[in-house]
């Protein structure tokens, strides 16, 4: 392989998956060619295991998947959990209470393979983004039954995201990790649940050196894995601060930038 890359981590939304939840044929074909060359490929996404597995199958992957911003690593063929982190229950209940005072903070809570929301009308046509078949409940705290959830997501109008990101970061402090993972998403994840830490953990498990790992992403939640990977690629549609972290900036998702990066660094 051109740069002796042994492991490739690819983000989904904004990197390989379009807003309508489709993947271009060129990206699918390039990933298939890279796999055929012997490269290990892992999805690194904020989606839960149900959503991540859907795309792992689309890509034809048969190994580990990094989901929930790195809070969950599991084996896709067997669904066996390899590594998992959770958000403390008291913090989760504190956060979901903010939806009452801020009804534009459309709240999603993830626990195991289930997704819970309070506003069924709002999420009626958005389940492909937040996870399929969300369960509508009146009280997101009580539905947890004193158990720790995997993460919390606030879905917002795009122009509100940056301000809410700062507000939630201030509320949470050092108790959890707050990231923007999509133009409309602010997520609260367990401490240690970032894509960079998860990618480092997985590379160590596989016996692959950091210098042999490549990562491709586009959002704030990809920054840790772009900083950690031996070769990092930011998409052309990424924010400028994310591009500044990368070794190379690919074309945008509309120009199949992920495929171009794999062709350049893996397939030569």
């Amino acid at each position: 392989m051109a740069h002796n890359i042994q492991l490739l981590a690819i983000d989904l939304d904004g990197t390989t998956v379009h807003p309508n939840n489709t993947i271009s044929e060129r990206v699918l074909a390039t990933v298939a060619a890279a796999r055929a060359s012997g490269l290990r490929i892992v999805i690194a996404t904020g989606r839960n295991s149900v959503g991540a597995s859907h795309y792992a199958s689309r890509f034809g992957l048969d190994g580990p998947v990094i989901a929930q911003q790195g809070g969950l690593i599991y084996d896709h063929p067997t669904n066996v959990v390899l590594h998992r982190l959770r958000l403390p229950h008291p913090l989760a209940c504190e956060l979901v209470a903010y939806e009452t005072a801020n009804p534009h903070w459309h709240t999603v809570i993830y626990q195991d393979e289930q997704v819970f929301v309070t506003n069924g009308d709002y999420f009626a046509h958005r389940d492909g983004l937040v996870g399929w078949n969300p369960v509508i409940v009146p009280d997101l705290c009580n539905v947890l039954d004193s158990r720790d959830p995997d993460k919390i997501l606030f879905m917002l109008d795009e122009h509100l995201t940056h301000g809410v990101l700062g507000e939630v970061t201030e509320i949470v402090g050092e108790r959890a990790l707050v990231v923007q993972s999509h133009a409309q998403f602010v997520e609260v994840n367990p401490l240690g649940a970032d894509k960079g830490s998860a990618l480092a953990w997985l590379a160590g498990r596989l016996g692959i050196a950091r210098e042999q790992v490549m990562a491709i992403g586009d959002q704030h939640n990809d920054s840790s894995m772009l900083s950690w990977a031996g070769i990092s690629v930011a998409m052309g549609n990424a924010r400028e601060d994310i591009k500044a972290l990368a070794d190379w900036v690919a074309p945008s998702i509309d120009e199949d930038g992920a495929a171009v990066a794999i062709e350049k660094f893996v397939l030569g």
Side-chain angles (χ1 to χ4, degrees):
M1 284 177 272
H3 289 77
N4 194 30
I5 297 167
Q6 301 296 316
L7 177 64
L8 169 64
I10 52 173
D11 172 50
L12 291 180
D13 299 293
T15 298
T16 55
V17 177
H18 289 266
N20 63 356
N21 293 313
T22 61
I23 307 170
S24 82
E25 291 302 322
R26 180 181 178 185
V27 170
L28 289 171
T30 305
V31 168
R35 288 187 66 237
S37 75
L39 180 70
R40 290 176 180 264
I41 300 178
V42 59
I43 286 172
T45 179
R47 293 177 183 250
N48 68 351
S49 60
V50 177
S53 289
H54 170 80
Y55 289 103
S57 297
R58 288 288 312 278
F59 281 116
L61 305 184
D62 57 3
V65 170
I66 296 172
Q68 294 174 179
Q69 308 301 0
L72 174 65
I73 305 174
Y74 68 96
D75 181 64
H76 172 56
T78 64
N79 209 34
V80 171
V81 173
L82 306 175
H83 180 67
R84 188 168 210 148
L85 300 170
R86 295 189 189 270
L87 202 63
H89 178 266
L91 176 59
C93 286
E94 177 187 336
L95 289 169
V96 299
Y98 280 92
E99 187 179 49
T100 302
N102 303 277
H104 55 287
W105 296 20
H106 301 287
T107 309
V108 186
I109 200 158
Y110 295 80
Q111 188 177 62
D112 298 321
E113 281 65 54
Q114 289 189 295
V115 182
F116 300 98
V117 302
T118 59
N119 190 335
D121 292 337
Y122 180 82
F123 287 104
H125 304 292
R126 294 175 170 89
D127 56 350
L129 277 175
V130 301
W132 282 273
N133 302 316
V135 179
I136 304 165
V137 296
D139 190 325
L140 290 173
C141 180
N142 284 341
V143 77
L144 295 175
D145 193 26
S146 298
R147 294 177 296 145
D148 297 338
D150 294 315
K151 71 171 185 176
I152 288 173
L153 179 151
F154 298 109
M155 187 169 185
L156 313 135
D157 291 342
E158 190 170 332
H159 69 281
L160 298 172
T161 308
H162 182 73
V164 174
L165 176 67
E167 192 170 348
V168 175
T169 300
E170 186 174 343
I171 291 168
V172 169
E174 298 181 355
R175 295 178 292 171
L177 299 177
V178 182
V179 296
Q180 180 180 347
S181 58
H182 182 278
Q184 293 180 266
F185 293 171
V186 172
E187 293 194 26
V188 183
N189 296 283
L191 288 174
D194 65 84
K195 293 185 182 183
S197 298
L199 186 56
W201 186 95
L202 183 58
R205 180 183 174 92
L206 297 174
I208 296 173
R210 179 177 182 176
E211 294 74 21
Q212 296 175 307
V213 179
M214 176 176 166
I216 310 175
D218 74 304
Q219 275 287 357
H220 178 247
N221 63 320
D222 298 316
S223 61
S224 60
M225 75 172 182
L226 294 178
S227 297
W228 185 83
I231 295 178
S232 57
V233 175
M235 298 294 290
N237 48 282
R239 302 177 347 177
E240 291 305 313
D241 56 335
I242 302 303
K243 291 178 183 178
L245 293 172
D247 297 309
W248 190 68
V249 176
S252 72
I253 185 172
D254 291 332
E255 301 168 287
D256 294 328
V260 175
I262 295 169
E263 291 163 359
K264 175 180 175 66
F265 290 99
V266 177
L267 302 176

